[in-house]
Amino acid sequence: MYISIEKYTVDQEIKTAVYEIEVGIQNNQTVTTHTIYRRFSALKTFDTEIRSQFGDSQYLLSFPPKTFFTNTSHEFLEQRSDQLQKYLANLVKIPGM
């Protein structure tokens, strides 16, 4: 199984980033992929739920911090995307995940 942030786009209407996330699940020689689109706030909610079940796991990294003001600059979103990628990549190492 793998989880990868493929890219992000900025929704100009609501001035927020939407992340395109690919989830791949291997079954024998076949890999099935699913693509989902989530805002940072939805990923933060997911993190809260995961922590209630796997909070003691060494693989559960800190979730990237929320900013007080909307920041849609390319540099900021690239950095946040990298942080989210590291967080998500470690999730698949958690036994039982």
Side-chain angles (χ1 to χ4, degrees):
M1 176 181 199
Y2 70 88
I3 304 173
S4 176
I5 295 188
E6 296 299 305
K7 64 180 179 178
Y8 61 85
T9 56
V10 177
D11 185 325
Q12 295 299 331
E13 218 174 279
I14 57 176
K15 302 283 191 233
T16 190
V18 177
Y19 296 91
E20 179 181 315
I21 303 166
E22 183 176 284
V23 179
I25 302 168
Q26 185 169 358
N27 185 8
N28 296 322
Q29 298 298 322
T30 304
V31 176
T32 304
T33 59
H34 303 277
T35 303
I36 59 172
Y37 300 87
R38 296 291 183 270
R39 292 174 50 186
F40 182 81
S41 59
L43 294 172
K44 177 61 179 161
T45 299
F46 174 73
D47 174 68
T48 301
E49 293 171 6
I50 291 299
R51 284 191 189 283
S52 70
Q53 296 177 22
F54 301 100
D56 59 344
S57 174
Q58 66 180 349
Y59 299 110
L60 189 54
L61 301 180
S62 296
F63 195 77
K66 182 178 173 140
T67 59
F68 291 106
F69 301 101
T70 302
N71 188 345
T72 57
S73 74
H74 176 72
E75 295 81 19
F76 173 77
L77 292 175
E78 282 294 319
Q79 181 183 23
R80 179 173 270 177
S81 184
D82 289 344
Q83 293 170 338
L84 287 170
Q85 179 60 47
K86 289 175 187 168
Y87 169 83
L88 293 172
N90 271 293
L91 286 182
V92 300
K93 297 177 183 176
I94 298 173
M97 177 61 82

